[in-house]
Amino acid sequence: MATQRTLSIIKPDATRRNLTGAINQRFEEAGLAIVAQRRVRLTEEQARAFYAVHRERAFYDDLCAFMTSGPVVVQVLEGESAVEANRTIMGATNPANADPGTIRAAFGESVEANSVHGSDSAENAAIEIAFFFAETDIVG
Ligand code: CMP
């Protein structure tokens, strides 16, 4: 597998608890480089567009409200098989099911406030990275 990029978001529950550095340390210790990063407050419109694939789900409105409830850190992670590597580092979506040692097991509060988002495929990574970053923002 080659070097890949994936989109990561440190969610409002984590920024609220000042966990940005602790989470970034886990990415870096696992060999993923943070090649772009920006702290932003998502607008309702941005959150709804970013999570549009979930618009038919019962949790969509709550998810969008949560993602706009505080600052997030959007970032591009780069490394060997970065999409899959990041999913392993994050752990299962529901922190209750996440393996010990993963970010969501350590920090997640609930399935919604699960501290981090990561792209689920290389195809979606490209779409999600382009949602937040221009190619010139990414310095590998
Ligand atoms: P994320 O990787 O950001 O992608 C969609 C998010 O929806 C997911 O993480 C969860 O935080 C959130 N979510 C809220 N409720 C649910 C649910 N019941 N099932 C799956 N995801 C949920």
Side-chain angles (χ1 to χ4, degrees), residues 11 51 54 57 59 63 93 104 111-114 116-118:
K11 296 188 179 186
Y51 280 119
H54 297 303
R57 308 288 294 270
F59 59 79
L63 173 64
T93 303
R104 285 165 170 163
V111 70
E112 180 174 273
N114 63 354
V116 281
H117 165 82

Side-chain angles (χ1 to χ4, degrees), residues 44-65 124 127 131:
E44 185 74 23
E45 191 180 14
Q46 280 178 309
R48 295 185 85 80
F50 183 80
Y51 280 119
V53 295
H54 297 303
R55 65 183 173 274
E56 306 300 337
R57 308 288 294 270
F59 59 79
Y60 178 63
D61 285 348
D62 279 351
L63 173 64
C64 293
N124 282 337
I127 294 167
F131 188 92

Side-chain angles (χ1 to χ4, degrees), residues 27-46:
F27 295 142
E28 293 187 334
E29 282 178 353
L32 293 177
I34 301 162
V35 294
Q37 179 166 259
R38 190 165 74 245
R39 180 173 164 109
V40 292
R41 182 78 181 250
L42 295 181
T43 64
E44 185 74 23
E45 191 180 14
Q46 280 178 309

Side-chain angles (χ1 to χ4, degrees), residues 7-15 17 19-20 22-24 26-27 51 63 66-67 73 75 77 86-87 89-95 102-105 107-119:
L7 191 279
S8 167
I9 304 177
I10 301 178
K11 296 188 179 186
D13 66 285
T15 61
R17 288 174 288 153
L19 291 170
T20 299
I23 290 172
N24 280 348
R26 286 168 180 256
F27 295 142
Y51 280 119
L63 173 64
F66 168 66
M67 290 300 288
V73 178
Q75 48 192 189
L77 307 180
N86 186 37
R87 291 175 66 75
I89 297 162
M90 289 190 298
T93 303
N94 187 342
T102 61
I103 290 172
R104 285 165 170 163
F107 302 127
E109 297 179 320
S110 67
V111 70
E112 180 174 273
N114 63 354
S115 301
V116 281
H117 165 82
S119 306

